[in-house]
Amino acid sequence: MTDLVPVYYAFAGVVAALLFYKWQSDPLRAIPTIGPSAPLLSYLGAIRFFKDASGVLQEGYDKYNVFKVAMIDRWAVVVSGAKMNEELRSIPDDQMSFMDAADELVQTKYTIAPDVLIHPIHITVIKEQLTRNLAPLFHEVVKEVEAAMQELIPAKGDDWIEVDGYSTVTQIITRASSRVFVGFPLCQNAEYLRIATTYSAEVMKGAMIMSVLPDFLKHIVGPLLPWSRRALRRAAPFLLPIITERRRLLKEYGRDWEDKPNDLLMWIIEEARRVGREDSTDLMVQGIMASNFTAIHTSSLTFTHALYHLAANPEYIQSLREEIEEVIRTDGWTKVSMGSMWKLDSFLKESHRVNGISGISVMRLALKDVTFSDGTFIPAGTFVAAAATSTHHDEENYSDATVFKPFRFSDMRASESEKNKHHYVSTSAEYIGFGHGKHACPGRFFAANELKIMLASIVLNYDVKFEDEGKRPANVWFATTVLPAPGAKVMFRKRQT
């Protein structure tokens, strides 16, 4: 056995030499690194990034225009500042791809569904039909939000009740989204709602597992992840009978018939037909479930952040009530009238700016070699993103940038020249919570509409606070995901004034 010791040392030396050569010749080596960049030692940086992404991103943002951080499965290049954000988003799609970057991050074919990666019909529908139908579907969402709140926040008289913030918000959003996605009565089916809610959490669980695996293991472990297949299998008995009946009616009557449903599932069926996939019922089920993940996960985090601000600062409730009631009194409660609720819009936008749901945004995957204007060379295959939280907390972009000022954006709209700017759904190089440019989140118009209905409903019907009054529980970072404090309890009572 001792005779083999020199062989082991020789083998280790060869491996070390190969790693060193690869490191020396790697074009990414020229980009400044936050943490160690040497072979093997870079994994220490990846562990630090997983545990303290906020600190790592801020350190890089403060020091460099472009820097890189180690992740377990790759290097990520991050750009700093509004100028670089704008440059990143303007690079053509044939050079840097958003869709490929999103797939790399989430590992769609393993964590969501394989067919929607090839035929993303739900994205077309969200961009087009869903956005166009926000006004006709407005009162459907209002009814579902109000019904869900009466059930999940059953405050009576002047007694305070305590509910779990994130869990309650998630259930309300799942019901409201499902009202638009699959219609009534399925949107109130407890088992279907449980599947939809659980699926969103399990997609993130799968993505997290895949993110810590080296590439050669992803193709082995990915197909073994059970959650996506299990959720699709459980959702199918609820969705397939509806799909079958609607396809029959579509074939019999064409595109129009009496009482034709106006929901995401109907639009997905029609889009599948348009692209020659009308017999792919699996694709239709996957399209609904992929939409559930996008809507439920992101909106639940976003609204819980805002709810925590409201509970920590109940002094803002009266200003919001006065605005909402004045608009409703003058113009009624419609999609159009909500556009006049500037303070409501600003409250949500400011919460999104201060907290966000991810420390990075404007994600791209380099399809070709790219050189930034400052000379930084990005080789093909590199994952690139902008530092979202650091951008939003930059004093060059916002005064008192780390302070939550709920009416910051409504105040900015006070002047005539600015009144049509700074909407919640607007993006800019300084505000990248929804991404920026043509690849900004296509569902943000639906999400903003839904969240404004929810916030207005709470303000109009409840008093809200934390038991520890005036203190908002701290966010928790899980890698780059920014979570509102898990398990935090919010107190509600019926509105007293």
Side-chain angles (χ1 to χ4, degrees), residues 98-99 102 122-123 126-128 130-131 134 181 290-291 293-299 302 352 357 361-364 424-428 431-448 451:
F98 165 74
M99 291 299 293
H122 63 297
I123 294 179
I126 289 169
K127 285 181 177 178
E128 297 176 6
L130 179 60
T131 302
L134 293 181
F181 289 2
S291 302
F293 163 66
T294 304
I296 295 169
H297 172 69
T298 56
S299 293
T302 300
H352 205 153
I357 60 172
S361 186
V362 197
M363 299 173 294
R364 300 290 188 269
Y424 182 24
V425 295
S426 301
T427 71
S428 68
Y431 186 82
I432 56 175
F434 288 116
H436 182 37
K438 71 177 183 178
H439 292 299
C441 172
R444 69 189 186 279
F445 302 97
F446 169 72
L451 300 190

Side-chain angles (χ1 to χ4, degrees), residues 63 144 167 209 211 229 298-299 409 429 457 490-491:
K63 291 181 177 178
E144 199 59 47
S167 173
I209 290 171
S211 73
R229 296 191 306 276
T298 56
S299 293
F409 294 102
S457 296
V490 180
M491 302 189 72

Side-chain angles (χ1 to χ4, degrees), residues 20-124:
F20 182 76
Y21 173 77
K22 183 180 179 181
W23 174 59
Q24 286 278 48
S25 59
D26 187 349
L28 289 178
R29 186 166 175 260
I31 299 175
T33 308
I34 304 302
S37 62
L40 301 181
L41 292 178
S42 62
Y43 285 103
L44 297 177
I47 293 169
R48 181 193 167 197
F49 185 65
F50 186 84
K51 295 170 65 176
D52 183 29
S54 175
V56 171
L57 291 169
Q58 191 61 50
E59 181 182 342
Y61 189 93
D62 291 339
K63 291 181 177 178
Y64 307 109
N65 278 343
V66 184
F67 60 96
K68 71 178 186 288
V69 297
M71 302 173 77
I72 295 293
D73 59 339
R74 68 171 66 85
W75 286 104
V77 173
V78 184
V79 303
S80 303
K83 180 176 179 294
M84 292 303 300
N85 294 347
E86 186 65 31
E87 182 172 346
L88 177 60
R89 77 96 186 170
S90 66
I91 296 173
D93 290 351
D94 65 344
Q95 297 179 41
M96 283 198 170
S97 167
F98 165 74
M99 291 299 293
D100 287 344
D103 179 48
E104 276 287 303
L105 205 62
V106 181
Q107 293 290 307
T108 307
K109 65 182 176 181
Y110 302 127
T111 61
I112 297 181
D115 295 343
V116 291
L117 182 62
I118 303 168
H119 303 287
I121 57 175
H122 63 297
I123 294 179
T124 302

Side-chain angles (χ1 to χ4, degrees), residues 294-366:
T294 304
I296 295 169
H297 172 69
T298 56
S299 293
S300 296
L301 293 177
T302 300
F303 191 82
T304 305
H305 280 305
L307 177 62
Y308 286 1
H309 280 298
L310 191 69
N313 302 278
E315 66 271 19
Y316 298 129
I317 291 176
Q318 189 58 34
S319 293
L320 290 167
R321 275 181 186 155
E322 290 172 359
E323 176 189 68
I324 295 166
E325 289 176 335
E326 175 60 28
V327 169
I328 292 175
R329 187 163 45 247
T330 304
D331 302 317
W333 197 3
T334 66
K335 168 68 174 65
V336 174
S337 71
M338 287 194 77
S340 299
M341 298 178 189
W342 289 10
K343 289 182 177 180
L344 184 75
D345 187 275
S346 178
F347 193 100
L348 288 164
K349 186 179 181 84
E350 176 70 350
S351 173
H352 205 153
R353 182 194 70 81
V354 170
N355 304 287
I357 60 172
S358 176
I360 58 174
S361 186
V362 197
M363 299 173 294
R364 300 290 188 269
L365 187 72

Side-chain angles (χ1 to χ4, degrees), residues 463-475:
D463 294 328
V464 187
K465 69 175 183 177
F466 282 120
E467 185 173 16
D468 188 0
E469 295 186 28
K471 185 176 180 181
R472 185 187 189 278
N475 295 335

Side-chain angles (χ1 to χ4, degrees), residues 13 35 39 135 145-146 153 166 168 175 242 253 270 316 319 333 356 390 394 400 403 406 420 430 465 484 490:
V145 166
E146 290 180 343
I153 314 175
Y166 179 72
T168 303
R175 282 183 57 167
I242 301 173
Y253 297 109
E270 292 178 317
Y316 298 129
S319 293
W333 197 3
S390 298
D394 191 334
D400 297 325
V403 178
N420 293 319
E430 297 80 22
K465 69 175 183 177
V490 180

